[in-house]
Amino acid sequence: MKIGIVCYPTFGGSGVMATELGMALADKGHEVHFITYNQPVRLDFITHRLHFHEVVLEEYPLFQYQPYELALSSKMVEVVEKYQLEVLHVHYAIPHAYAAYMAKQMLQNKGVNVKVVTTLHGTDITLVGSHPTYKTAVEFSINMSDEVTAVSKSLKEDTLRLFTIEKEIEVVYNFINSEKYDLQHEDCKRSTLAADNEKIITHISNFRPVKRATDVVKIFNKIQKEVPSKLLMVGDGPERLKVENLVKDFQLEEKVLFLGNSSEVERILCYSDIFILPSQTESFGLAALEAMAAGNAIISTNSGGLPEVNIHGQTGYLSEVGDVNTMAANTLEILKDKKTLSRFKENAKNHVKDFSLQKILPVYEEIYKRCYKNKDSSCDSLKLQ
Ligand code: GMT
């Protein structure tokens, strides 16, 4: 099929997921066109089946804010027409679902029918989307999509609670390409980062307040007093300075490494024993899934979709948001016993199989086919047949 993918090209989970999906679809023989303002960070190759179309914004002095939605919807129209795309799969509702609706209307006016699949990722619903500033437009564009998917059961429930939704929402979990995480031992030399007796703990995020990255440092401060260990902080964002200052306050500079953004997290996660995700809210937690694929036990909060990914007492532990004492105690329980640590690591690797590329990719393909087969009417009516 010919599929357009619209996403944020950054290190956020929705962009990562959209990029991995696009690359996997192209691998399976589909023609995939990314439409966004930069080449997605994880898009590591361009082939005859994988294209990137840049949305260029012209500065104009009248505009205090550049009208990205307009530029994006115009680009979508251009690419759909030129390459005869059948489906536009937009990741993250704001503003992508809205721009896709406009593109669809403009194309219909020209006699071209394209289907719109919207995937909800999390903050587009829970934090930003439901804010009164955006709510009406987000609700409208979700309802106007031909198909709507959410990355966890929890996110589906949140969407139904926060909006008036007339569309069926299908839960399609985020997936992982486990092959990337089966690194050979020589690719992953722990000795470059830590001494033999030290454990390695990792956190990856965009350092936004919702990630509560300062909690990671508070937890680590307690852990390192009892178990020799290092903390790897991966990513960048608004709270990084605050986190770095806390590391200084605790005098942990020798034990905490800030590695910045990385497009090859598997090369970092392979060193690590435990991954900490103390988020305030998290619709899925793709970073935790990636860590599990690399054999990390997970210490996380029980918010949002995290309990669907991290199984309490098996792949790691869940705690209330902000309960750094319990999170530290749980981490120590795992780290202090070799057998417990390897059991959790093994369980984590096994659980990831439920979120494999092989399982999830056909689900999206089926959604696209269902839409396209029914191209002259809404996809929902097909479900009723
Ligand atoms: O975490 C963020 O704020 C970034 C956001 C995004 O745009 O990528 O992440 C959301 O989508 C990811 C991919 O589906 C999920 O794994 C994250 O849990 C979700 N973040 C939140 O719900 C906070």
Side-chain angles (χ1 to χ4, degrees):
M1 291 188 74
K2 293 182 175 192
I3 302 147
I5 293 191
V6 179
C7 64
Y8 284 105
T10 58
F11 289 96
S14 60
V16 167
M17 204 57 249
T19 310
E20 295 286 350
L21 175 63
M23 292 195 293
L25 286 165
D27 253 3
K28 262 189 109 174
H30 299 283
E31 188 178 307
V32 176
H33 294 257
F34 284 94
I35 307 170
T36 181
Y37 60 83
N38 266 330
Q39 180 168 329
V41 286
R42 289 242 188 139
L43 186 60
D44 51 10
F45 63 95
I46 301 278
T47 69
H48 63 289
R49 287 200 296 269
L50 204 48
H51 308 252
F52 162 57
H53 307 275
E54 186 180 351
V55 180
V56 181
L57 278 183
E58 293 297 336
E59 297 266 331
Y60 187 68
L62 176 68
F63 301 144
Q64 188 177 355
Y65 307 104
Q66 303 303 316
Y68 180 63
E69 294 87 322
L70 256 64
L72 176 61
S73 54
S74 298
K75 193 63 164 184
M76 286 188 205
V77 170
E78 179 194 318
V79 176
V80 168
E81 273 195 297
K82 185 165 176 191
Y83 296 93
Q84 291 154 16
L85 302 191
E86 294 148 325
V87 174
L88 282 171
H89 187 174
V90 301
H91 291 261
Y92 206 87
I94 307 172
H96 300 147
Y98 190 72
Y101 169 74
M102 290 311 298
K104 189 178 159 121
Q105 295 309 304
M106 288 187 266
L107 285 159
Q108 253 168 21
N109 219 28
K110 293 165 176 252
V112 177
N113 192 353
V114 71
K115 293 296 179 184
V116 174
V117 178
T118 297
T119 291
L120 311 173
H121 279 273
T123 44
D124 48 351
I125 297 300
T126 53
L127 288 185
V128 199
S130 50
H131 189 277
T133 313
Y134 301 110
K135 190 176 173 191
T136 309
V138 172
E139 187 173 89
F140 172 79
S141 39
I142 292 173
N143 281 326
M144 286 300 165
S145 304
D146 292 294
E147 285 275 342
V148 183
T149 73
V151 299
S152 65
K153 289 181 190 150
S154 150
L155 182 59
K156 176 177 175 173
E157 283 159 19
D158 284 342
T159 311
L160 296 176
R161 181 172 47 81
L162 294 166
F163 297 91
T164 307
I165 298 296
E166 293 145 15
K167 235 38 228 178
E168 192 181 310
I169 300 178
E170 185 170 342
V171 174
V172 183
Y173 281 123
N174 285 328
F175 66 81
I176 201 133
N177 183 355
S178 315
E179 277 172 22
K180 274 194 180 179
Y181 294 83
D182 292 334
L183 286 184
Q184 296 302 308
H185 186 66
E186 58 268 26
D187 285 334
C188 193
K189 287 202 169 61
R190 270 179 75 105
S191 54
T192 52
L193 285 176
D196 279 355
N197 66 332
E198 282 179 321
K199 297 285 183 258
I200 299 185
I201 291 148
T202 306
H203 169 76
I204 303 178
S205 79
N206 50 28
F207 286 68
R208 289 201 215 130
V210 69
K211 301 291 173 181
R212 297 182 67 100
T214 48
D215 280 2
V216 178
V217 179
K218 290 177 193 163
I219 297 164
F220 179 71
N221 186 39
K222 292 176 190 293
I223 296 166
Q224 57 84 35
K225 287 179 180 154
E226 294 189 39
V227 170
S229 45
K230 285 262 163 63
L231 172 64
L232 311 180
M233 296 293 277
V234 184
D236 208 345
E239 291 215 318
R240 177 161 165 184
L241 194 61
K242 193 172 163 190
V243 175
E244 284 182 355
N245 285 338
L246 189 62
V247 168
K248 281 188 199 138
D249 291 348
F250 286 139
Q251 300 182 329
L252 292 174
E253 291 102 313
E254 299 287 306
K255 295 184 176 181
V256 182
L257 281 80
F258 286 87
L259 302 181
N261 281 323
S262 168
S263 52
E264 288 186 311
V265 288
E266 67 277 6
R267 292 194 171 270
I268 297 169
L269 287 167
C270 71
Y271 299 115
S272 178
D273 299 295
I274 295 217
F275 184 84
I276 302 185
L277 196 60
S279 309
Q280 181 79 35
T281 164
E282 197 71 65
S283 71
F284 182 88
L286 183 62
L289 187 69
E290 293 184 317
M292 287 161 78
N296 281 234
I298 309 295
I299 294 296
S300 74
T301 54
N302 55 10
S303 68
L306 283 171
E308 294 169 62
V309 178
N310 181 20
I311 308 303
H312 187 71
Q314 288 181 32
T315 61
Y317 285 113
L318 300 162
S319 304
E320 295 297 324
V321 174
D323 188 355
V324 292
N325 288 334
T326 306
M327 286 189 251
N330 287 338
T331 311
L332 285 167
E333 184 201 306
I334 299 174
L335 287 182
K336 278 182 174 173
D337 180 53
K338 239 183 174 175
K339 274 192 187 149
T340 311
L341 178 60
S342 47
R343 179 165 51 84
F344 274 86
K345 280 173 166 247
E346 207 45 48
N347 289 347
K349 279 192 146 192
N350 279 331
H351 184 52
V352 162
K353 289 178 189 152
D354 289 348
F355 302 89
S356 70
L357 171 68
Q358 291 75 8
K359 273 196 178 166
I360 306 295
L361 189 64
V363 180
Y364 278 124
E365 284 179 297
E366 201 41 56
I367 291 172
Y368 302 152
K369 271 192 229 149
R370 188 160 79 203
C371 268
Y372 194 65
K373 248 201 259 162
N374 199 30
K375 78 178 169 77
D376 296 323
S377 57
S378 130
C379 301
D380 274 354
S381 54
L382 184 80
K383 276 184 213 152
L384 301 174
Q385 283 166 17

